[in-house]
Amino acid sequence: MEQYDIIIIGAGPGGLTAGIYAGRQGTKNLIIDRDLAGGIGREVPEMENYPGFESISGLELIEKMKAQAIKNCDLHEMEDVLEITKTDDEYRFTVKTTKDNYQSKTVILATGSSHRHLNAKGEEEFKGKGVSYCATCDGFFFAGRDIIMVGGGNSALQEAIYLNNLGANVTLVHRRDEFRAQKHLQDMIKKEGINTILNATVEEIKGEMLVESVILKDTVTNELKEVPTNGVFISVGYIPHTELATQLGVNLDESGHIITDKDQKTNVEYVYAIGDVCVGLKQWVVACGEGAVAATSAFTDIQ
């Protein structure tokens, strides 16, 4: 089996940063990702708060990070980690994947998260037929058409603006009486004249072959209303991927996120965690900072 000092599981912004820092410390390192590097970060249409870039897409930034990471460590994309087991040897972790087995002295969990679903009637039925979780992937097909954008955080408002700029007729639906997104994004929604419906939830998504309408429920009056639409884009948060953490006995908080200390250490010795899978602010710049800290912590512990 190939042996490494640090294996990083997940090639998002945090995982790639950890790989850069790990390699520059002179250790032998591997990043493994079940998908392409970047994961759902590739879907971000535009960021205006990442230092050094006035505006940049998630895909463009990931490609820059990836190019830098592969100069400092090995990167295996499209390789799923199935199991991590512990031993008493110097290479104390065996990482089993869909393609091979590897040994490592330390493990950094950068497993990220996936889109949370509404669990509304018709959501699964119309996935790919008008229901989408990725504006940059599918928005092009809805230029000039009516879209319901569901959510109230930064991602939802960013995607609503992106879809509006593509020429779609966007209505933003949020279950609370105000948005959670940054004021800058809320101001842009008003400036662009994007329709908003507050205090409403999507109860059902309807249609024949494709999406034709949604049933909205007023959270104050419980009144139901059918709204015609050609598409439903959903951005209502993320579910952390903690299956491997649970295998290793890593502690989670009540929301299912990994608990770490300031050095990104978990309760399991030589296991670290970073990014969206952890407790804390879900931002690229935070994940990158945590990646730098975790790689440095792992290097120090190895020494």
Side-chain angles (χ1 to χ4, degrees):
M1 282 187 284
E2 189 82 9
Q3 295 180 323
Y4 292 90
D5 295 306
I6 303 171
I7 288 183
I8 301 155
I9 302 172
L16 292 173
T17 304
I20 293 167
Y21 272 75
R24 291 174 61 84
Q25 292 165 160
T27 51
K28 183 180 179 183
N29 315 288
L30 168 65
I31 304 175
I32 308 173
D33 198 293
R34 68 173 68 177
D35 208 330
L36 295 173
I40 59 175
R42 302 171 68 89
E43 302 171 5
V44 178
E46 186 177 26
M47 284 188 291
E48 298 178 324
N49 60 356
Y50 191 88
F53 296 96
E54 192 168 318
S55 177
I56 190 168
S57 72
L59 178 58
E60 186 181 356
L61 186 52
I62 280 295
E63 290 303 317
K64 290 179 181 293
M65 290 182 172
K66 176 181 171 181
Q68 192 173 359
I70 59 179
K71 293 178 181 178
N72 293 280
C73 66
D74 295 338
L75 171 62
H76 293 186
E77 297 174 288
M78 309 304 292
E79 184 171 350
D80 197 7
V81 175
L82 303 175
E83 184 181 31
I84 306 174
T85 55
K86 293 167 62 179
T87 69
D88 295 326
D89 301 330
E90 179 186 9
Y91 292 89
R92 53 186 66 84
F93 298 100
T94 299
V95 178
K96 179 182 179 182
T97 77
T98 48
K99 295 182 179 180
D100 210 338
N101 292 338
Y102 312 95
Q103 288 184 315
S104 182
K105 297 176 182 177
T106 61
V107 169
I108 298 176
L109 298 173
T111 44
S113 58
S114 58
H115 296 288
R116 189 178 298 278
H117 291 194
L118 294 175
N119 295 321
K121 185 177 179 182
E123 181 177 0
E124 291 297 316
E125 178 185 349
F126 290 104
K127 193 184 298 182
K129 301 175 183 177
V131 171
S132 175
Y133 304 88
C134 176
T136 51
C137 307
D138 303 323
F140 174 80
F141 302 107
F142 291 86
R145 311 186 79 185
D146 295 328
I147 293 174
I148 296 288
M149 182 75 226
V150 187
N154 290 337
S155 296
L157 270 65
Q158 284 173 335
E159 296 202 353
I161 294 164
Y162 175 78
L163 292 165
N164 181 70
N165 290 340
L166 288 178
N169 179 29
V170 182
T171 298
L172 193 53
V173 175
H174 183 44
R175 62 193 177 97
R176 302 188 187 279
D177 60 358
E178 60 182 17
F179 296 116
R180 296 178 290 106
Q182 296 169 350
K183 183 179 183 298
H184 166 68
L185 292 171
Q186 296 190 46
D187 290 343
M188 287 185 67
I189 290 291
K190 292 176 183 176
K191 181 181 177 182
E192 297 292 332
I194 295 173
N195 298 323
T196 61
I197 300 176
L198 299 177
N199 292 319
T201 57
V202 175
E203 294 296 297
E204 185 178 355
I205 300 168
K206 300 177 67 177
E208 292 295 329
M209 300 296 292
L210 301 172
V211 169
E212 296 176 6
S213 66
V214 296
I215 302 296
L216 299 182
K217 179 180 179 182
D218 188 304
T219 59
V220 177
T221 65
N222 290 327
E223 178 185 355
L224 297 177
K225 177 174 67 173
E226 186 166 2
V227 178
T229 189
N230 302 119
V232 181
F233 283 73
I234 299 168
S235 182
V236 291
Y238 303 93
I239 300 171
H241 294 159
T242 56
E243 298 87 353
L244 296 174
T246 301
Q247 277 184 19
L248 288 166
V250 170
N251 287 340
L252 311 179
D253 75 350
E254 62 277 1
S255 68
H257 290 81
I258 296 175
I259 299 169
T260 64
D261 65 12
K262 63 182 179 62
D263 297 315
Q264 301 307 131
K265 298 180 181 182
T266 70
N267 60 297
V268 178
E269 196 173 18
Y270 300 106
V271 176
Y272 315 81
I274 60 175
D276 285 2
V277 75
C278 297
V279 176
L281 184 64
K282 312 303 184 204
Q283 292 289 302
W284 281 47
V285 69
V286 174
C288 291
E290 291 175 348
V293 171
T296 304
S297 294
F299 173 73
T300 301
D301 290 345
I302 290 169
Q303 295 302 303

